[in-house]
Amino acid sequence: MDLRYTPEQEAFRKEARAWLEANAPASPLRSFDTREGFEEHRAWEARLHEAGWAMVPWPREYGGRGADLLEWLVFEEEYYRAGAPGRVNQNGIFLLGPTIMEYGTPEQKARFLPPMASSAEVWAQGWSEPNAGSDMANIQATAVRDGDDFVINGQKTWASRGAFAHWLFGLFRTDPESSRHHGLSFVLVPLDAPGVSVRPIQKLNGKAAFAEVFFDDARVSAENLLGPGGRGWNVAMATAGFERGLMLRSPARFQSTAARLVGLYRDAVRRGDPVSPGMRERVARCWMDAEAYCLNTYQTVSRLLAGGKIGDEASLNKIFWSELDVRMHELALELLGPRAELLPEAPAAGDVGGWLEGYLFALSGPIYAGTNQIQRNIIAERILGLPRK
Amino acid sequence: MDFTFNEDQLLLQQATRDFLEGECTPEWVRASWESDTGRDPAFWKRLAEIGVPGLLVPEAHGGLGLDETDWVLLLEEVGRAALAEPVVATAVAAAALAELDDPAPAAEWLPRVAAGDARLAMGHAASPFVADAHVADRLLLPADGALHLLPQSAVSLEAQPSNDGSQRLYRATFAASSATRAADGARAAAILDAALDRGALACAAQALGVADRLISLAVEYAGQRQQFGVAIGSFQAVKHMLADVKVALEYARSHVYRASHSVARGERCRAVDVSMAKLAACEAATAAAKTSLQVHGAIGYTYEQDVHLWMKRAWSLDLAFGDPVFHRARLSSAVIDGALPAESFGYSPQGA
Ligand SMILES: Cc1cc2nc3c(=O)[nH]c(=O)nc-3n(C[C@H](O)[C@H](O)[C@H](O)COP(=O)(O)OP(=O)(O)OC[C@H]3O[C@@H](n4cnc5c(N)ncnc54)[C@H](O)[C@@H]3O)c2cc1C
């Protein structure tokens, strides 16, 4: 164990910091849950990509920087330090990307990774269906092989950024006779294909952030099958590991929220705003928990670099980061008192309106990427070994 | 940057676990609770053979010369076994002896510690009691800002029976004089600070083992005990309680390992890192205790059942080397007031 950065890692940090300080947008972009905001975010992604910072751990040939996962963590730390925009293509770069890297053919890698890195193509995740939420194995949408194509029918829902995305990766039943986890395949679908229609759904904040997607005899090339046919469940679980366990939510995101929370508390005290006695220690505790998440991630990354894999322990992470995020935002709103309900555009909201927006989003953390109840089931049964029935 | 343990470290941990599993059984722990001193010099000697008391002792003094990153793995096993020997008291005092300006006490006592022929104890400001003073050949005790080195015969001990049968606490009084003074001023303060952090780290590391054991006991029981025709472990209410404790344990582990590195290297943020480790690990252990008791039902509430051996350890570790009030205050004063150095790992906010 040696928790010091190497000179190379320090140099990498310096380089990332310098670029981000010079290039990160000075004021926040509009929400990527709006059409204009979505395009602003894509323009930012294109700049990141041009400079080689879009996806640092990917090989250069796919638009990355050939860095390792530790350097990725360092980059993320600098990214949050710079207050740079949220990643509009996070489902692509953090979830599908690593899955293609593991399961894709050379042609698929060359076809899909570069435009993903530049956000020329933004991806939506199509797993959930009206009757397949926590019970994802109940997926009904079908992709039936017809010559060189799949013919897709059925419905996906809750696809984040589906309203504006270009492509969707999803699980479809390729074997109509199959049930549960069997007979599913991981298929990549262009959202502009004939037979595909997208209906935006407003989120808790009123923005059309996710979408239902309907498939009516939509045809996609069989070349868009990722990984072995009929074994899509396993392919998807690799994605889920990355989603819950590492990439989707890097520690710096929570460390920066914790640092802002500490600042908010200090400001309240400085201004003489009323604070209740327990708040001080609760704020410090949030800071401590964000540190725990960071340390734990460094352990995971060290293990991966030594040849390990992400397993069921990803479920521990998912619970920890999502519930920490809720705690931090709840405490921030408590500190804001009567201002807590102000939308960002309210004149009196000043620079604190983001906490409300952040809170609304934090509340979805225990739901998406597999609800926290499901994660607790996984921990109990697969990590602790308690009986399923 | 590498946050993994190497093979030697893991082998040492495994060897300690194997030894304690065979020798420090629940029956053995119970017997030690019932015995007069609660300590066994012959067992101490055997622990020395596998390097337990000598782990931190420099090789020049006959020890293993390892550091706190190794030590926490061993202490996790001490916690898992609920071993009641003065492992921590002795190691903390031995490390303090090595920090005195006068090399003579270390030269005299450290080889004996490593050989299993001596036990030591140390007092510190965060507790009015001294653990394991009754079996200590030498005691390091603070008085009026100075640190004094005393033979047991020069100290008057008043036993303070503890809820945790493996804990032997004493109020220690003695006549301080220039002859007993081993360090004073800033030197004494630095040694006492380091002892507190080392001791708190040791409690945190043991708490990991205690929590893990309490979870295992509950999982095992929940797999066997049947109600309503099924194993109680199949009930989601039971599963989720245990999953929560497992989450707490694994995140506490990260804090403990990081703090071990900070102590070993004398990092600036050592105090805060240790407080976080102590808070997180002891919280995981006390939560594991409560949950394990609940999962066991009435049988867990009996003296015959083993749960309480670890439950009471969890509680006493929580209080030793700074109780939660102490460590929360220290954490807050660092994070909120900047009274002590506190730095995020990796991330640094703009302007920092
Ligand atoms: C903001 C947001 C973004 C999302 N983005 C996407 C996306 O991009 N792509 C996508 O495919 N999906 C997405 N989802 C959907 C998400 O994956 C599902 O909401 C989630 O899997 C839960 O399914 P459900 O909503 O149908 O709830 P249900 O499965 O109906 O669950 C309802 C409640 O019952 C509980 N429950 C269900 N089963 C069990 C059980 N076995 N044990 C204990 N409790 C149980 C759940 O924990 C939950 O509390 C998103 C959701 C949100 C909120």
Side-chain angles (χ1 to χ4, degrees):
Chain A
M1 188 193 302
D2 186 349
L3 304 185
R4 294 167 302 177
Y5 295 98
T6 62
E8 293 74 30
Q9 286 159 349
E10 293 289 9
F12 180 85
R13 182 189 295 286
K14 246 176 111 177
E15 197 186 343
R17 182 173 298 183
W19 190 86
L20 286 162
E21 273 173 6
N23 291 279
S27 53
L29 307 183
R30 281 175 286 185
S31 163
F32 58 40
D33 293 343
T34 63
R35 166 63 70 189
E36 319 77 64
F38 181 81
E39 294 306 337
E40 282 175 19
H41 279 79
R42 281 181 73 211
W44 160 247
E45 290 288 337
R47 266 178 83 190
L48 266 179
H49 176 251
E50 245 164 63
W53 294 110
M55 211 37 212
V56 296
W58 288 8
R60 284 175 193 279
E61 53 182 316
Y62 302 133
R65 207 179 191 81
D68 66 17
L69 283 176
L70 273 169
E71 287 167 323
W72 171 71
L73 283 176
V74 169
F75 174 76
E76 288 281 303
E77 286 155 6
E78 294 309 314
Y79 197 84
Y80 280 96
R81 176 190 161 95
R87 307 301 297 273
V88 67
N89 204 7
Q90 50 189 265
N91 285 347
I93 56 181
F94 295 148
L95 307 183
L96 178 60
T99 313
I100 291 185
M101 217 72 87
E102 188 172 337
Y103 287 97
T105 61
E107 294 73 30
Q108 286 173 328
K109 290 178 188 174
R111 161 63 189 86
F112 291 111
L113 293 175
M116 189 187 295
S118 67
S119 287
E121 290 173 351
V122 175
W123 287 82
Q125 180 185 31
W127 288 2
S128 302
E129 296 181 4
N131 289 313
S134 298
D135 187 12
M136 207 170 96
N138 195 38
I139 280 173
Q140 307 291 331
T142 54
V144 177
R145 189 68 185 257
D146 180 27
D148 290 340
D149 292 337
F150 283 119
V151 179
I152 303 187
N153 280 288
Q155 181 190 349
K156 293 288 172 184
T157 190
W158 314 129
S160 289
R161 284 164 295 286
F164 313 119
H166 309 97
W167 280 78
L168 172 139
F169 61 93
L171 280 185
F172 298 89
R173 209 160 278 289
T174 39
D175 174 0
E177 305 297 302
S178 67
S179 71
R180 308 297 302 161
H181 314 73
H182 310 284
L184 296 170
S185 295
F186 198 116
V187 183
L188 313 176
V189 185
L191 285 172
D192 60 2
V196 178
S197 50
V198 175
R199 205 173 82 196
I201 307 173
Q202 287 175 295
K203 273 203 313 195
L204 200 52
N205 65 3
K207 299 198 173 89
F210 40 31
E212 291 175 288
V213 183
F214 299 88
F215 304 90
D216 185 10
D217 283 336
R219 276 188 177 269
V220 305
S221 161
E223 286 170 5
N224 291 357
L225 171 71
L226 182 65
R231 304 280 313 274
W233 183 266
N234 301 55
V235 182
M237 286 306 111
T239 313
F242 270 89
E243 179 172 23
R244 295 166 187 164
L246 186 63
M247 285 212 137
L248 187 67
R249 297 291 175 249
S250 74
R253 176 189 179 109
F254 305 105
Q255 289 174 302
S256 73
T257 304
R260 284 191 296 121
L261 181 64
V262 170
L264 195 68
Y265 179 82
R266 285 184 185 149
D267 288 347
V269 171
R270 202 176 299 131
R271 275 204 310 270
D273 288 355
V275 289
S276 50
M279 282 181 166
R280 180 182 151 87
E281 288 190 349
R282 283 166 64 204
V283 170
R285 180 56 190 241
C286 285
W287 187 89
M288 162 175 154
D289 290 341
E291 287 305 294
Y293 182 58
C294 172
L295 295 166
N296 193 273
T297 304
Y298 270 86
Q299 281 180 285
T300 302
V301 165
S302 293
R303 204 161 39 77
L304 292 177
L305 290 178
K309 279 207 170 291
I310 293 190
D312 293 326
E313 74 283 356
S315 293
L316 301 164
N317 284 45
K318 164 73 208 312
I319 290 176
F320 196 82
W321 61 250
S322 60
E323 296 182 4
L324 167 62
D325 206 29
V326 173
R327 274 200 303 284
M328 291 196 288
H329 283 88
E330 275 172 351
L331 188 47
L333 293 190
E334 234 182 282
L335 278 164
L336 290 175
R339 289 188 296 162
E341 65 177 300
L342 297 185
L343 292 174
E345 59 267 30
D351 58 355
V352 299
W355 284 109
L356 176 63
E357 190 72 5
Y359 177 58
L360 295 183
F361 186 65
L363 281 179
S364 67
I367 301 175
Y368 67 75
T371 73
N372 287 11
Q373 284 69 43
I374 297 300
Q375 307 307 327
R376 286 181 168 87
N377 292 346
I378 294 174
I379 294 167
E381 291 166 11
R382 297 198 217 140
I383 300 182
L384 297 178
L386 285 163
R388 248 159 229 260
K389 287 217 165 57
Chain B
M1 175 67 63
D2 175 17
F3 210 147
T4 59
F5 291 99
N6 64 36
E7 208 159 311
D8 288 348
Q9 291 175 307
L10 296 174
L11 280 173
L12 181 74
Q13 178 178 29
Q14 189 59 48
T16 311
R17 181 184 300 200
D18 293 344
F19 174 81
L20 291 175
E21 250 171 31
E23 305 292 326
C24 185
T25 58
E27 297 70 45
W28 173 267
V29 173
R30 281 173 190 276
S32 79
W33 282 30
E34 303 307 326
S35 77
D36 234 14
T37 63
R39 306 292 178 257
D40 179 347
F43 198 72
W44 184 248
K45 190 82 187 160
R46 295 186 61 201
L47 288 172
E49 282 160 17
I50 61 163
V52 175
L55 185 134
L56 292 177
V57 172
E59 280 173 299
H61 291 307
L64 296 181
L66 299 175
D67 71 21
E68 283 80 0
T69 61
D70 307 283
W71 198 40
V72 287
L73 294 178
L74 183 141
L75 288 167
E76 194 174 328
E77 299 313 318
V78 167
R80 190 189 316 282
L83 172 68
E85 287 292 328
V87 175
V88 176
T90 299
V92 166
L97 281 185
E99 288 164 10
L100 297 174
D101 289 334
D102 178 5
E108 182 180 358
W109 289 102
L110 267 46
R112 296 188 204 179
V113 164
D117 295 329
R119 293 165 292 183
L120 309 172
M122 185 164 182
H124 58 87
S127 171
F129 312 119
V130 182
D132 298 306
H134 64 312
V135 292
D137 298 290
R138 285 289 179 280
L139 293 94
L140 270 172
L141 299 173
D144 303 326
L147 193 56
H148 298 267
L149 179 60
L150 305 126
Q152 204 197 67
S153 57
V155 183
S156 129
L157 298 178
E158 183 192 27
Q160 311 289 334
S162 161
N163 176 54
D164 170 10
S166 62
Q167 180 82 310
R168 300 294 162 115
L169 296 176
Y170 296 84
R171 194 185 287 284
T173 46
F174 64 101
S177 72
S178 57
T180 61
R181 191 184 310 128
D184 55 14
R187 189 99 197 100
I191 294 173
L192 282 162
D193 279 353
L196 176 67
D197 285 345
R198 200 169 274 117
L201 172 69
C203 293
Q206 288 178 84
L208 296 179
V210 168
D212 206 35
R213 183 67 173 253
L214 283 161
I215 294 172
S216 312
L217 288 171
V219 167
E220 195 186 324
Y221 185 74
Q224 290 163 3
R225 167 75 174 164
Q226 300 232 338
Q227 285 292 277
F228 303 98
V230 292
I232 57 164
S234 66
F235 298 131
Q236 227 173 37
V238 169
K239 286 181 179 170
H240 288 197
M241 273 196 297
L242 286 166
D244 281 337
V245 181
K246 178 67 173 169
V247 172
L249 168 60
E250 292 312 314
Y251 282 86
R253 191 182 293 287
S254 307
H255 274 306
V256 173
Y257 294 165
R258 193 268 176 105
S260 76
H261 184 270
S262 302
V263 171
R265 292 184 186 274
E267 300 275 353
R268 304 180 51 236
C269 299
R270 182 191 80 195
V272 171
D273 293 345
V274 166
S275 284
M276 293 195 289
K278 178 80 171 22
L279 285 167
C282 289
E283 210 173 278
T286 51
K290 217 197 250 180
T291 299
S292 203
L293 172 61
Q294 188 68 20
V295 169
H296 280 82
I299 194 90
Y301 197 74
T302 63
Y303 206 79
E304 280 72 35
Q305 222 281 342
D306 288 337
V307 173
H308 79 111
L309 301 180
W310 282 275
M311 179 156 65
K312 290 170 181 172
R313 282 266 73 197
W315 293 340
S316 68
L317 289 169
D318 196 31
L319 301 179
F321 288 99
D323 64 10
V325 171
F326 172 90
H327 287 288
R328 283 199 295 261
R330 199 160 77 156
L331 171 68
S332 306
S333 73
V335 173
I336 310 286
D337 309 329
L340 283 171
E343 274 168 21
S344 283
F345 193 90
Y347 169 81
S348 61
Q350 201 91 247

